Amino acid sequence: MKQEKEATVKKMNQETKALQQQIESVNFAIDEEQTKANELELRGKFFNIGNMSEDQQEQLLGDLHGKVEGVYTKCIGENEANLSTLAMLTAIENRLEELFQQIETMPTDKVAAAEKEKEAERRVKAREMKIEQQKKHQEERIKKAIQRANEEPKKQTGKRLVFRSEPPQTDKMDDDGDAEATREEQEMRYYFQW
């Protein structure tokens, strides 16, 4: 009986220590989140939303809520409780932290294999999207070509433009007297220039 009591006390002490460590880690996480919140609040002050009208602000916030809700439904599930945008973001962040912790406990070779598989899937999807875009582009080009072919040809009005050749160059005959006069003028300019 005494041994059972000692074992129970020892077990309770271990559980108490584990709970105290969890409390400390949660308090540490709370402090970090509070620091993040303060930094984000400061950044928010720098982002001047005051230049927008109320309707624009409401539309922007509605768009943001819609995007966050889309991510929330993909990561966690339907928003049955009609959570606010901040509550959904907090839930998404908590889910990400849980997943990161699970990844750390998994064998590294399995994690690497899963990452490699996801990367291959991403490449296949990107290739398919590129092929689809090329098909759309080709279809647009074909539509434009068909439209051009179906249009009536443009009738030319007036005379057709024809390339004209340049007139032949005529050789100029230089007079010797003129050449001497110009040479004297050049010499005079060269020697008597101020």
Side-chain angles (χ1 to χ4, degrees), residues 6 30 48 62 113 157:
E6 287 177 8
I30 289 172
N48 188 4
T157 55

Side-chain angles (χ1 to χ4, degrees), residues 41 48 53 55 58 107 116 132 171:
E41 186 176 350
N48 188 4
S53 68
D55 293 336
E58 289 298 322
K116 191 174 182 180
E132 186 177 325
D171 292 334

